[in-house]
Amino acid sequence: MIWKRQDLSFKYTKKYVEILLICAVACFFFKQTLLLVIISFPLFLVLFQLYYFRKVGNGLVFVNDKKRVRLMKGTTAFLELSFQNNGLPIWNGAIVLTFQDCIAPFDADYNSASGFYEVNVPFSIGYKKSVTVQIPVVGIRRGLSRIKGIEVNIPHPLTEGSIILNYEPYILMDAIVYPTIYTIKEEFYPSRLKSGELELNSSLFIDPYFPVGTRDYEPGDQFNHIHWKASAKTQQLQTKVFTKVANVSVLFLVNLADGYRMVHDFEKKIEWLASHIEACYKANVPFAFGINIRSSGKRPFIYIPIGSGDTHRVQALEWLSILSTSNITVPFENIIRYIEAHEELPMSAYILSQQMEKYQPILRTWEQKTSVNYLLEYEGENYD
């Protein structure tokens, strides 16, 4: 069963039917025609109400598509609920939507209790019609807000009474609020000694798949770099000119454990990491990050490997959005050893942790392979 039905005032309606039927039968036997006509009108309304209550909502379908609404703190968006109706029309109804308080209703009628918001919005839908209800919400705090319930309240159009439909399947739609992101003044310097994807004129490496022009052939040029069409046009050998590229990539490691408990500046460190990820994204710098919070899967901790682009950015920010102080941590030195043994180090690494002297001996080997930046505490001066 998709909708769980609850009838309000239904038993009283049955009593009205019984009383009116007895009165109608009595009028018929005693030949009270006028009184029978008068009684027939409310009897018809009550019988219509019984029929309506039994059938309404049977053809109502909620389109339960998987969808995630993404917000920043203080920004607004819409939760869109789509319905299709193949049964009796619903007039002057209402939808009660319940969701977690990472987001809040914006300019709507609502109630709040125990970490949840309940929003009431009008709802009407005709026979064989489709309706999309938009509920404005605003991001309140970092986190994931799941929709816990959808309730449709259907009043009778003529008499008192109503039907309440509770949607029972798991609701796939949710909303996520990203960490606060600040503008930072960090520069990520490329390496000219390793091939990559960043365009850099002083690099020693070229991108063989991205020619940008031609020049006259010079002794020593590779045979497969000759541009034969251009050579035929100019009647002189022409060599392809390629874009010069360099490697720039960053690894962020953040220690969120202070002994057996979370650090006191948990939220600030999450915002620090989110801001640096956003800076890498805007500069088209590939990045990776590791956090000493336990995770299931291939790695026993949260780790996003080197990557770039929109999908990589969204994946990283969504991980940071769902972290909580109730998560289980792992020793910070374990993720350092794991990355050294199983992952390729990028061109630079940023290590944000307290008690750095404890981990520096383990990181000495990293300093021979990459540029390591030690950050003892959250550095607010990096932000504008």
Side-chain angles (χ1 to χ4, degrees):
M1 181 181 293
I2 296 178
W3 297 98
K4 182 179 180 182
R5 299 174 66 92
Q6 181 180 358
D7 302 326
L8 301 181
S9 303
F10 190 68
K11 61 180 180 179
Y12 299 109
T13 304
K14 287 184 175 181
K15 290 182 179 180
Y16 295 153
V17 172
E18 293 173 358
I19 294 171
L20 290 172
L21 281 175
I22 292 172
C23 293
V25 171
C27 292
F28 177 78
F29 279 108
F30 290 104
K31 299 181 179 179
Q32 300 292 324
T33 307
L34 179 61
L35 189 58
L36 179 61
V37 172
I38 295 174
I39 293 175
S40 298
F41 180 70
L43 179 61
F44 170 77
L45 292 181
V46 175
L47 290 174
F48 177 73
Q49 178 173 347
L50 286 175
Y51 174 79
Y52 184 80
F53 273 9
R54 289 183 183 279
K55 298 296 183 179
V56 71
N58 290 345
L60 185 63
V61 177
F62 170 61
V63 183
N64 192 16
D65 293 336
K66 187 174 184 180
K67 184 178 180 182
R68 172 162 289 177
V69 179
R70 297 176 173 87
L71 305 94
M72 302 293 293
K73 183 179 178 181
T75 61
T76 58
F78 290 95
L79 297 178
E80 295 186 347
L81 309 178
S82 297
F83 295 87
Q84 298 173 353
N85 186 30
N86 298 314
L88 292 177
I90 298 173
W91 299 291
N92 299 322
I95 293 177
V96 180
L97 185 69
T98 306
F99 51 82
Q100 293 171 308
D101 62 358
C102 295
I103 57 175
F106 182 75
D107 193 24
D109 182 22
Y110 68 89
N111 297 312
S112 61
S114 304
F116 291 90
Y117 284 103
E118 285 189 354
V119 185
N120 292 270
V121 293
F123 178 67
S124 296
I125 186 170
Y127 172 62
K128 289 190 175 180
K129 296 292 184 179
S130 298
V131 170
T132 298
V133 179
Q134 291 187 330
I135 301 174
V137 293
V138 59
I140 298 298
R141 58 180 177 83
R142 180 186 63 83
L144 180 65
S145 178
R146 299 191 183 277
I147 297 178
K148 292 298 183 181
I150 296 177
E151 179 182 290
V152 180
N153 192 331
I154 308 172
H156 192 275
L158 300 177
T159 61
E160 68 176 31
S162 62
I163 295 290
I164 294 178
L165 303 178
N166 287 291
Y167 191 74
E168 291 196 322
Y170 181 80
I171 301 171
L172 301 178
M173 180 186 297
D174 56 30
I176 193 167
V177 182
Y178 289 157
T180 302
I181 295 176
Y182 302 96
T183 302
I184 65 172
K185 300 178 180 179
E186 196 70 54
E187 293 187 12
F188 305 104
Y189 297 100
S191 170
R192 299 175 178 83
L193 303 178
K194 190 174 182 181
S195 179
E197 299 178 355
L198 181 71
E199 294 186 21
L200 188 68
N201 291 333
S202 59
S203 176
L204 300 176
F205 300 90
I206 62 172
D207 185 351
Y209 300 103
F210 191 26
V212 292
T214 60
R215 59 171 174 80
D216 292 339
Y217 175 82
E218 295 179 357
D221 288 346
Q222 296 184 28
F223 182 77
N224 60 340
H225 286 178
I226 295 176
H227 196 301
W228 294 107
K229 288 185 178 180
S231 301
K233 288 182 179 181
T234 60
Q235 299 299 312
Q236 186 176 357
L237 286 177
Q238 298 290 309
T239 301
K240 296 177 184 178
V241 177
F242 299 94
T243 301
K244 292 187 175 182
V245 292
N247 183 280
V248 55
S249 52
V250 185
L251 168 66
F252 301 101
L253 289 186
V254 180
N255 184 6
L256 294 179
D258 185 8
Y260 295 99
R261 61 182 181 181
M262 287 291 184
V263 292
H264 67 282
D265 55 351
F266 179 87
E267 289 295 332
K268 289 183 177 180
K269 285 185 175 178
I270 295 297
E271 293 173 359
W272 177 91
L273 181 52
S275 301
H276 280 73
I277 287 173
E278 187 70 11
C280 290
Y281 168 74
K282 291 180 178 179
N284 198 27
V285 174
F287 66 87
F289 75 80
I291 302 175
N292 59 328
I293 288 182
R294 188 172 298 280
S295 174
S296 59
K298 178 182 176 181
R299 304 173 184 88
F301 57 91
I302 294 177
Y303 181 79
I304 301 295
I306 287 286
S308 61
D310 293 333
T311 303
H312 193 66
R313 168 183 175 263
V314 169
Q315 181 187 15
L317 291 179
E318 289 190 351
W319 264 114
L320 296 182
S321 299
I322 63 176
L323 295 182
S324 168
T325 53
S326 61
N327 292 132
I328 301 174
T329 61
V330 297
F332 191 58
E333 57 269 21
N334 287 5
I335 72 172
I336 296 175
R337 293 191 177 99
Y338 183 93
I339 292 174
E340 183 177 8
H342 298 89
E343 306 292 338
E344 182 179 356
L345 291 177
M347 299 312 301
S348 58
Y350 289 76
I351 315 296
L352 177 59
S353 174
Q354 60 285 348
Q355 300 177 351
M356 189 62 74
E357 64 279 358
K358 179 180 177 181
Y359 310 110
Q360 279 183 328
I362 311 174
L363 292 166
R364 293 300 182 194
T365 56
W366 285 33
E367 296 176 2
Q368 301 171 7
K369 305 174 185 178
T370 187
S371 173
V372 181
N373 302 277
Y374 297 103
L375 304 172
L376 297 179
E377 288 293 339
Y378 164 82
E379 297 183 353
E381 67 271 17
N382 282 344
Y383 301 122
D384 287 337

